[in-house]
Each structure stands twice: as structure tokens, then as C-alpha cells.
Amino acid sequence: MTPDTGYVFGVLAVAVALFASERLRPDVVALLVIVALSLGGILPVSEAVAGFGDPVVVLIAGLFVVGEGLVRTGVANRIGVWLTEVAGASETRLLVLLMLTVAGLGAFMSSTGVVAIFIPVALGVADRLGIGPGRLMMPLAFAALLSGMLTLIATPPNLMVNDALRAAGLEPFGFFGITPIGLLALGLGIAYMWAIGARLLPASAPPTGTAGRRQTLVELGESYGLIDQLHRLRVELGSPLAGQTVAEAQLRSRHGVTLVGVERQRPFGDKVTPALATAELHPGGIFYLVGPADAVAAVAATERLTRLPVEDGQRQGLIKELGMAEVLLPPDSELVGQSLRQAAFRSRHDLSVLGIRRRGRPLPGNLAEEKLASGDVLLVAGAWKRIGLLRNDPRHFLVLDLPAEFGEVALAHRRAPFALLVLLAMVVTMTFGLVSNVVAVLLAALAMGLFRCLRLEDAYRSINWPSLVVIAGMLPLARALEKTGGVTLIADGLVAGLGGFGPLALLAGIFLLAALVGLFLSNTATAVLMAPIAIAAAQQIGVSPYPFAMTVAVASSAAFATPVSSPVNTLVLAPGGYRFNDFVRVGLPLVLLVMALTLLVVPLLLPL
């Protein structure tokens, strides 16, 4: 091993440790990898940053835009409504249809985006059938992962494997090259979840009294212990709050209470409006606070406020203007790692956070300084319109539960036929190779805008920039391993250890190593690192590299074993009420089954 090889392995080890510890964001770790390879003299700057201009990165960005067009036009939502109608009252039928539908959509859209769309759908269906959400959330996530094996564009790891084949001077897989093994894996996954996995999933039922309908605002407030925490106060002359805006008052950070509504005097009756960050408090003005009674009493005494009774009519008037909803923070949310104060949540979104659930339990204390984590569920309050706007940003906010009082936000439904036409044209173009894949996806993304399926700002917002940075950062690491002999060294080790037992044993070793690496790295990063190693190992023993490359693609999508193996698993962790061991218990057997299927079928489809 040369010093340069040792240095690259050291960079890889530190990167894996940082990914696993989650002390830094994955995109930050990827940028550090680029810096380390450049400063270490392993790659010149032009090669270290070349990942940002890689065609695969551009292709993935375009696919995000195409997927967003399907969301904005309501195509995915209509499929969810259809699912609810067809499933009826049968949990078995629902399980099969849910997994088939999610996998079908995931074959052409981001799996994370599909899961974000279907979590509220599945929650609503589970509520209607009176079954626990844990019965559906994990099958939903696993179907999204299995969808990555259905088409070339279903998941970035497939594109990474194709890129590795192309770099080795080999013909890449076609658009449906992975589809046969994917269809078999999907059938196996559905059969497993129906026959075995369903017995291992949590069987807890939803709270009594809410099955079959949405919660009301009162019920939603009760679940966070807020029903008796609404208070009405008047600003007296000489109050320190007089003349201050809601943001300047800092009542949450200073007193642990939240200002949610302001009462405005009107000629034909007073009206309550949401407390925007810029709203100014005046002497004699009346506003509403949410917080414990003792904290509100302390605020009244300190700030010279008078407590007033809250009558039923006033409470109803507040409800008409002030909505509430539960919002889940996905792994890539901009709020993860920040406190509400640092994120300036109220100022940016004109919404107040009344409560936070972590692993199903409301957090006590001052929420303003609480560092938010992936999977946290926020109870937000504010104008119904502002709550509706959160649904337009599923990468940062996943609206889980909208109360019965909420009016649906209109989508561009009339453009749905155009979105489907664009998707079909893209698939046909890529299947027959009429133009390069990158050009086909870029044309589809532009067509989504041309047919007004989404706005330009929606297109930019739909792109998961942190994911692209991770890919761009890991590509030069794979290049550095290859340049310094690291790929050959790992391949030699695999061949020395398993090559004597035959190609099938080496194929099994490749699958297990990829699955193990996938526990610590994203599935995309796993494919970037493992694909060149698998191809090199196959070439060393003189067999076809295609089965080995396909095995890496399948193993990269078989991330069922832990809730952190893939973002889709993390997304369903809180809504399903799961614990870490639930994924190990249900997911690990499925990983082994998919491995057995791969070793049986791949050599038949792609002879060694």
C-alpha cells in the first residue's frame, strides 16, 4: 500500500465515521472530502470538483423537477385517492395495493418524494380502517426502496453503477435493464410483508373515537396537552410590550409562552387574526397566548397585562382564522440541527410552533431553544393559507395531519394530462435511446415548465441540493481510490478471500459488503464506492462484470435493516411509531431474502 493509498483510505474512514455519527450534515462531509483530496495532493482541484459537472448529477437534478411536476399537478394525489377507494375495508388488499402503487410511482419519481406524498394518504386510510399506522408505514417505505430496482432512473445508485460501467469502457445497462430482477424482488417483498412482515409489525390501534375521520382542532390540541392553555390578555398603558412587534416581544424565549392571535376591532364585531411576526402590540390591544397558566400569570405581572376570559364565541372565532397542523421534519429539512429561534421560524413562515413531539412524546420546557432533529413532529398554528403553503415544500416540511376544519389547497389539476404526457415521452425517449439520458431528462424538465405544470421557483425548490452535493463529493473519492490503487487493493482482498470458492461466493461477498457499507453511507455513496470494486473483482477472476454491477445496484436499494439506512425509512419512523429494533426485526430477513433472490436470478439473467 502506497502512502497515497493509505491517505485515501484514511479520508474514506473519516468520512464513513462522520456519516455514521451524524455530527455533520452529509453534504458538509462531502465537501470536506473534496477539500481533503485536493489538499492531500491526491487530485488536482479540477478533478476534485469535477463531480459537480458530472452528467449524472445534472440528470438527477432534472429528475427531481420532473417528479415535482407530477406532484404539483395532483397526479400522485389522485392515485392516493384511488387507492383509498379500491382498498375498501381489507387490510390485506390495502397492503398489496399500497406497495404496488408506491413502487409504480417510485420507478419514475424520487422514492423520498413518493413516501412524502403517501404518508398522509396512508395515515388517513389507517385511521378510516381503525388500524395502527405502524401496519402501513414500513411496507410503504420498503415498497419505495424496492421501486429503485424497477427502472434505470428509479434511484441514483442505478445511475452510479451505469456510470462505473461506462468508465470501465463497458456498455451500460438499458432503461429497463434492472427491471426483471426488480419485479421479482417487488413480488418477493409484497409476499414477505403479507405473510411474515405483517406479523412482526406493531399492531397498536389508533386512539379510540377518531377512527374513520380527521381529528378536529380541539382533539389535536388535546393530544399535545394544549386544550386548557389558551389565554386572552389585554395590553395596559405603560406595558413594556406597547409599541413592540410580536417578534420583538420575544415572549417564547423570555417566558415560554407563544403569542398566536391578535384581536382586531371592527365596526360589526371584533375579528381575530394570526399573530404575524411584524404585527405591532398597542395599549388596549387584546391578544391570545398559548402556555401553562403559571407562565401566563408571570407574563401578565411582568409585562403589565390584564387577563380576560375566553368565551366560546371568541374561541370559535379564533379557530376560524387560526388553524393547526402536524408537520414532520424529513432528514433533509433545513430546520434539522437548528432551534426555532435560530431558524427564525415565525418570521419566515408566519406560523407559531405550539408543541414538538419526539418519538411520540411531547417535549417539555422552552421549545424556542430546543435543537430540532430529523423525525420531530411540530404542531404549527397560524393562518390556514400559510399552513397550506407548507405542503408545497415537502423536502423541508411533511404535513402529516390536517384537522377536519382545513380546506384543501388547490393544485394545478388541469395540467395533469400534460404532466403524464411529458413523463411518457421521457420514458420512451430514454428506452429507445433517441437522445442521451441527460438530454431526455432536461427536455422533460423544461416541458414541465412549458406546459405550466410547475413554476420556475417550484422547480428550483424541488431539487434536493444537499443530495447532489453528496454525490458530487463522493464521485472524486471513488476516482481517488481508483487512481491510487485502492479499488484494486479491495478487489484483490475480495478475490483472495472468496475467489477460490467460485464466482457465486464472490458475488455473495459483494452483496454483503455493499449492504454493510449501506448501513453507514447513503445508498448513492455506497454505489459510487462499490461499483468500481465489483467490476474490478469480476475482471480479476475473468468473468463478466455485469452480474457484479447489477448486484451492487440491487444491494444498494436493499436498505431495509435500520431506520437510518435510507431517508425513506427515517421518514416513516415517527408516523409509524417505530423503534430502531422494529426495522432490524422486519427488515433484516428481507435483506437476506433479496440477497438469495439476487444470487439465484442475476446469474441466470446475466451469465457469469
Side-chain angles (χ1 to χ4, degrees):
M1 180 186 297
T2 66
D4 283 350
T5 307
Y7 180 85
V8 174
F9 276 124
V11 171
L12 174 61
V14 173
V16 170
L18 290 175
F19 279 128
S21 69
E22 298 183 344
R23 292 183 178 276
L24 294 176
R25 288 171 41 133
D27 49 336
V28 174
V29 176
L31 292 174
L32 289 174
V33 167
I34 293 174
V35 172
L37 293 177
S38 179
L39 292 179
I42 304 299
L43 296 176
V45 174
S46 58
E47 289 187 30
V49 300
F52 290 100
D54 193 282
V56 175
V57 174
V58 179
L59 189 148
I60 293 171
L63 289 173
F64 279 123
V65 176
V66 174
E68 183 70 8
L70 297 176
V71 174
R72 294 282 174 176
T73 53
V75 171
N77 185 60
R78 289 185 184 184
I79 294 174
V81 172
W82 168 83
L83 172 66
T84 304
E85 295 174 350
V86 175
S90 170
E91 183 179 345
T92 299
R93 188 185 306 134
L94 175 63
L95 176 70
V96 174
L97 285 175
L98 177 65
M99 293 188 71
L100 284 174
T101 305
V102 169
L105 271 180
F108 305 101
M109 291 177 58
S110 160
S111 58
T112 304
V114 173
V115 170
I117 292 167
F118 273 87
I119 283 179
V121 173
L123 287 175
V125 176
D127 187 44
R128 181 173 60 80
L129 295 182
I131 62 176
R135 306 287 297 171
L136 299 178
M137 290 296 109
M138 201 177 294
L140 168 62
F142 287 179
L145 289 170
L146 290 166
S147 73
M149 306 177 195
L150 293 179
T151 66
L152 176 67
I153 64 170
T155 184
N158 298 347
L159 301 171
M160 298 297 105
V161 170
N162 248 20
D163 200 48
L165 286 170
R166 193 176 291 107
L170 300 168
E171 187 70 22
F173 292 122
F175 188 87
F176 293 108
I178 195 174
T179 304
I181 180 66
L183 289 173
L184 291 172
L186 177 60
L188 176 65
I190 293 175
Y192 168 77
M193 294 305 298
W194 169 69
I196 301 174
R199 303 175 188 274
L200 303 175
L201 291 170
S204 57
T208 58
T210 62
R213 61 178 176 85
R214 284 177 172 177
Q215 286 183 290
T216 64
L217 284 170
V218 173
E219 292 168 343
L220 194 56
E222 283 178 341
S223 67
Y224 283 80
L226 301 174
I227 194 62
D228 297 320
Q229 295 193 23
L230 179 64
H231 306 273
R232 184 168 172 254
L233 299 97
R234 181 175 62 233
V235 181
E236 300 296 345
L237 287 173
S239 169
L241 298 182
Q244 292 188 9
T245 64
V246 171
E248 292 169 345
Q250 298 182 353
L251 293 181
R252 180 191 287 274
S253 59
R254 294 194 296 120
H255 299 287
V257 296
T258 304
L259 202 162
V260 295
V262 178
E263 203 170 279
R264 303 292 188 188
Q265 293 185 350
R266 296 289 188 270
F268 301 101
D270 297 341
K271 180 181 179 180
V272 179
T273 60
L276 304 180
T278 55
E280 190 171 329
L281 304 175
H282 301 284
I286 297 174
F287 61 88
Y288 291 81
L289 287 181
V290 171
D294 54 348
V296 173
V299 172
T302 304
E303 308 291 348
R304 296 193 62 180
L305 308 172
T306 300
R307 301 179 67 179
L308 303 174
V310 183
E311 301 174 358
D312 289 341
Q314 293 163 338
R315 190 186 303 272
Q316 292 301 318
L318 182 64
I319 287 176
K320 288 180 181 179
E321 298 293 335
L322 184 68
M324 287 192 296
E326 288 187 304
V327 178
L328 173 73
L329 298 186
D332 292 330
S333 174
E334 60 186 359
L335 268 67
V336 171
Q338 299 187 69
S339 66
L340 293 172
R341 181 182 58 80
Q342 290 172 331
F345 186 86
R346 182 196 285 271
S347 299
R348 294 182 61 183
H349 302 285
D350 284 331
L351 292 168
S352 304
V353 177
L354 303 184
I356 301 176
R357 284 186 189 273
R358 183 166 295 162
R359 297 178 180 175
R361 297 182 179 180
L363 295 182
N366 187 357
L367 302 181
E369 303 301 328
E370 182 70 36
K371 293 286 186 181
L372 299 172
S374 172
D376 281 355
V377 179
L378 313 182
L379 179 65
V380 301
W384 287 114
K385 180 179 179 180
R386 302 303 302 182
I387 291 175
L389 290 176
L390 290 184
R391 303 175 75 192
N392 295 338
D393 193 7
R395 185 160 63 89
H396 297 301
F397 306 102
L398 177 55
V399 179
L400 288 181
D401 186 28
L402 290 168
E405 293 88 347
F406 181 75
E408 290 291 339
V409 178
L411 295 172
H413 293 295
R414 294 181 180 178
R415 300 293 166 182
F418 295 103
L420 289 173
L421 182 62
V422 169
L423 176 64
L424 179 62
M426 182 188 77
V427 171
V428 170
T429 302
M430 296 180 73
T431 302
F432 293 99
L434 302 180
V435 295
S436 71
N437 289 342
V438 175
V439 173
V441 171
L442 288 179
L443 285 172
L446 290 170
M448 284 290 185
L450 180 64
F451 289 118
R452 293 185 293 170
C453 298
L454 76 172
R455 300 171 301 172
L456 185 60
E457 53 267 34
D458 296 330
Y460 280 112
R461 188 164 55 231
S462 70
I463 298 174
N464 192 322
W465 298 106
S467 296
L468 296 185
V469 172
V470 170
I471 296 171
M474 297 307 293
L475 285 172
L477 182 56
R479 167 65 182 143
L481 280 172
E482 184 177 359
K483 183 177 180 179
T484 59
V487 168
T488 303
L489 192 63
I490 298 174
D492 287 344
L494 285 170
V495 171
L498 298 172
F501 298 98
L504 201 60
L506 185 57
L507 205 63
I510 291 292
F511 189 104
L512 287 174
L513 182 58
L516 180 64
V517 171
L519 295 177
F520 306 101
L521 298 181
S522 70
N523 55 359
T524 304
T526 299
V528 170
L529 294 175
M530 286 300 304
I533 293 171
I535 293 170
Q539 290 174 334
Q540 281 195 30
I541 63 172
V543 298
S544 171
Y546 288 104
F548 288 79
M550 183 65 74
T551 297
V552 171
V554 173
S556 297
S557 289
F560 312 114
T562 74
V564 296
S565 299
S566 170
V568 300
N569 293 350
T570 307
L571 275 179
V572 303
L573 185 63
Y578 299 126
R579 296 173 299 176
F580 189 96
N581 288 337
D582 290 329
F583 277 90
V584 177
R585 184 175 65 253
V586 181
L588 187 57
L590 185 55
V591 173
L592 297 177
L593 286 172
V594 171
M595 175 181 169
L597 177 69
T598 302
L599 297 179
L600 178 66
V601 174
V602 167
L604 295 177
L605 297 175
L606 300 168
L608 291 165

